[in-house]
Structure formats: C-alpha cells, structure tokens
Amino acid sequence: MSVTTDKRRRTQLLVAAGAALLLASGALVTLFSQASETWRPAVSGPVLPNWSNTVASARAIDITGDESFLLEQAAGVWTMPSRDGYPVRPERLAELDAYLAALTFEGARTDNPGRLGRLGLAEPGTENGATRISVRDADGTILADILLGETRGERVYVREPGRNRAFAARLGDGAVARPDLLPADAWLDLDFLSLGTNDIARADIQPEAGPAYRLERASTASRNFALRQPAGWQTITAAAGNGPAAALGRVRFRDVRRADRLGGEFVAHHTAETFSGLRVRIDVKALGETRWALITASAITDDAAAEASALNALSDGWAYLMSDLTIDRLIRPLDRIADPREETRDAP
C-alpha cells in the first residue's frame, strides 16, 4: 500500500515539475517574442525606396502638424491653394526632396503607443505630435505617406501612419538638414522686398492720422534723414526719422492673399525712392484690425527699370499682411517723430 502511494506521489511530482517546466518555457518564449516584436532586428535601406519615382509623379503634398495645408502643382508650378494659389518657394521643395531621399533606416524602435510621444511621433496636432507628409499623384493616389518625429543630431524618428512601430533613421553624413516644414508661410517668399537701408534716399509718408511728411537725405554718407515737409515741424532728435524712412530697407510680410478678394479700404501710403532710381509705393489697406500692403514699383531712371519690372512681376495682384512692427515704422504719425516749432520773429 505504501509503495503504491509513494509511486503515485512521485508520478504527481514529476507531472507537476513537467508542467512547471512547460510554463517556464512558455513564459520565456513569450518574453522573447515580445522582445523581438519591440526590438526587431535592424532594418536597412531607404525609408522611401521609390522616392525618385514619387517625385516625378507628385502633384499634391499634404503637410499636417500643428497646422495643416496643401501644396499643389499645376502646369509645372507649385502653389498653395489656401493662399489663393500663391507660388511656393522652389528651394523649399528641393530641400524636402533631398531630405526625404536621404533618410535611411537605422533600426526599429518601440511600438508602444504611450511611448511614441517621447520620440515626437504622437498623432499630428497633439502634444509631442509628428509632422505628416503625404504625397499624391494627379489621380489622388497616395505615393508616399510618412510621419516625421524628433531630430537628434543626424538621427530622425519616423513611423508609418496607422501603425505604432517607430523607427530610427539617419541622414548619412549630415550634408542634408531637415527643412522648415511649419508654419505654412515658411513655404512662401514673403521677404522679397528689400531696398537696402543705406540705399534709400527719400520717403513720402501719409499716415492713417495726421499730416503727410517727407524725409530725405543727400547721400549714402548722410547718417540721418532730415524732415523736409511739412514746414513748421522739427524732428525730436536727429535720428527720429530714420525708422520710418528706412522701413522698406528690409520687410518680411506675414501672409498673402489675392488683392481683388481682400476687401477693406485704403487708409495710408508710403513711397520710398532709392539713389539708384527705384521708386516703391505701398498702399495700405485696412481689413478689420489687420493692415495689408499693395506694392507698386516704378523706375525714375533707366538703370532701375529691370529691378522695377522684377518687383512688379512678383507682387502684382497680391496683398501682403504686415506685422504690427512693420506698420508702426511704415506709416508712423508725424507727431511721433517731430514737434511743431513755435513761430519766432526777427529781433529789431
């Protein structure tokens, strides 16, 4: 009886030990499987292997991050529909092309959705969100779709939309830098107006309120602009007129729209002339609290004819949004830079 009982106990112990061994083995297999899923063997090759073909067929690019906008190609010209079809800067497209072509897989990273934000790969528009670039052809077929996360040195984190797996990619020798994808105005040429502070000879200004006035200097060697009109006023300091007079030395606008769709009313103007004979007039249009510039260039001398034509070709038909700082300098009221002089009589 006791022998039978001992055999039964030994059998039970062996069965239990076997089961425990099987469970332990299963746990190891599970852990190994999870580790393999989270840290897959290193991948290699281009992140977008067919990018050269994609570029040739691309007709639309959607960019989504903290804001979302579209770039479209028509008749060989890339434009931004949300800005009434204003042309996109070709160099920005070239930078994006070179950047995406250079991305090469370094290895797999986490597939835990809760950790994607640490790599800047959370959903676009959310905290630590990625920037999504989606390229489509003329039929609307998606040719390339990628989420770009943080850039750390020559490494950038990427993932495919709709999937949690993150990857690390490299830019090779560092010759290619990540382009400015956001904001939207980074794709637009809004800093084309630059007369050069030292090249401006005269400025005629009509502010929104108060009298019109003229600031002038005799040559580029003159440090300060003198107040020539109206009579009976004197600048507060010798340099008080330099800000308004040189406002068109370099301007960066903030946005752009078709002038014929803008609405609003004209409230002021600023005309600058350079020593080379270029005249540029800014008509200021008020639309609510915003101020927009309409630009017209003309040549006083033959030497400035080509420059005037080039400027008109860029700006004709467009209205440009100005910053508060630009507005303040461009059409600053006269009483901010000068005081009326008291009438004096000659001594007997």
Side-chain angles (χ1 to χ4, degrees):
M1 178 77 65
S2 62
V3 173
T4 303
T5 302
D6 289 341
K7 287 182 178 180
R8 185 179 301 162
R9 288 176 179 173
R10 282 198 297 272
T11 301
Q12 291 173 344
L13 288 172
L14 288 172
V15 171
L21 182 60
L22 288 172
L23 289 173
S25 299
L28 287 173
V29 170
T30 301
L31 287 173
F32 179 78
S33 176
Q34 291 175 347
S36 298
E37 179 62 19
T38 305
W39 301 97
R40 295 193 307 186
V43 291
S44 61
V47 172
L48 298 171
N50 297 317
W51 180 247
S52 59
N53 294 330
T54 296
V55 170
S57 303
R59 295 295 180 271
I61 303 174
D62 289 291
I63 299 178
T64 305
D66 293 334
E67 61 178 309
S68 180
F69 55 92
L70 171 68
L71 311 177
E72 278 188 340
Q73 186 198 103
V77 177
W78 284 89
T79 64
M80 188 176 292
S82 61
R83 300 308 190 270
D84 293 336
Y86 195 75
V88 172
R89 300 175 68 166
E91 65 270 25
R92 292 294 188 209
L93 290 164
E95 290 170 1
L96 179 63
D97 177 15
Y99 178 77
L100 294 180
L103 288 178
T104 303
F105 279 120
E106 181 183 72
R109 295 297 184 263
T110 183
D111 67 345
N112 185 338
R115 297 180 179 177
L116 292 175
R118 300 179 184 179
L119 304 179
L121 285 173
E123 288 301 310
T126 64
E127 185 178 5
N128 299 318
T131 300
R132 182 174 182 175
I133 299 176
S134 183
V135 183
R136 294 179 281 117
D137 64 13
D139 297 326
T141 303
I142 294 179
L143 304 176
D145 205 2
I146 188 172
L147 292 166
L148 301 175
E150 284 191 6
T151 298
R152 300 174 184 173
E154 294 181 3
R155 177 181 296 160
V156 58
Y157 295 99
V158 302
R159 72 179 175 95
E160 185 179 344
R163 300 194 177 185
N164 293 329
R165 170 67 62 193
F167 295 91
R170 296 189 71 82
L171 290 170
D173 59 3
V176 178
R178 179 164 177 168
D180 293 328
L181 302 175
L182 298 171
D185 61 20
W187 291 86
L188 307 173
D189 186 5
L190 298 178
D191 54 0
F192 60 89
L193 183 54
S194 180
L195 301 186
T197 301
N198 201 45
D199 294 329
I200 297 174
R202 175 187 297 172
D204 289 289
I205 301 168
Q206 173 59 69
E208 290 193 44
Y213 59 97
R214 171 176 290 180
L215 298 163
E216 193 173 49
R217 59 179 177 167
S219 69
T220 57
S222 303
R223 293 185 58 185
N224 301 318
F225 285 83
L227 180 62
R228 299 303 184 196
Q229 296 176 7
W233 289 73
Q234 183 173 9
T235 53
I236 297 170
T237 65
N242 292 354
L248 298 186
R250 183 175 180 82
V251 180
R252 174 168 175 78
F253 299 109
R254 303 189 60 186
D255 211 339
V256 61
R257 292 290 187 276
R258 289 292 310 180
D260 56 6
R261 298 180 56 188
L262 185 64
E265 59 181 8
F266 292 104
V267 294
H269 62 79
H270 178 120
T271 302
E273 294 179 8
T274 68
F275 288 107
S276 63
L278 177 66
R279 177 183 290 152
V280 177
R281 178 182 171 108
I282 304 292
D283 288 295
V284 180
K285 182 174 273 194
L287 183 63
E289 297 299 319
T290 62
R291 297 295 181 270
W292 298 73
L294 280 74
I295 304 169
T296 307
S298 57
I300 304 173
T301 65
D302 292 340
D303 292 340
E307 191 175 0
S309 296
L311 188 55
N312 285 328
L314 284 171
S315 62
D316 186 36
W318 298 100
Y320 299 89
L321 178 65
M322 295 184 287
S323 68
D324 291 341
L325 178 61
T326 297
I327 297 166
D328 176 64
R329 295 184 64 200
L330 190 75
I331 52 174
R332 186 174 296 170
L334 179 59
D335 60 12
R336 295 260 312 275
I337 67 168
D339 291 325
R341 289 180 295 188
E342 294 183 2
E343 294 292 335
T344 59
R345 295 184 180 182
D346 293 337

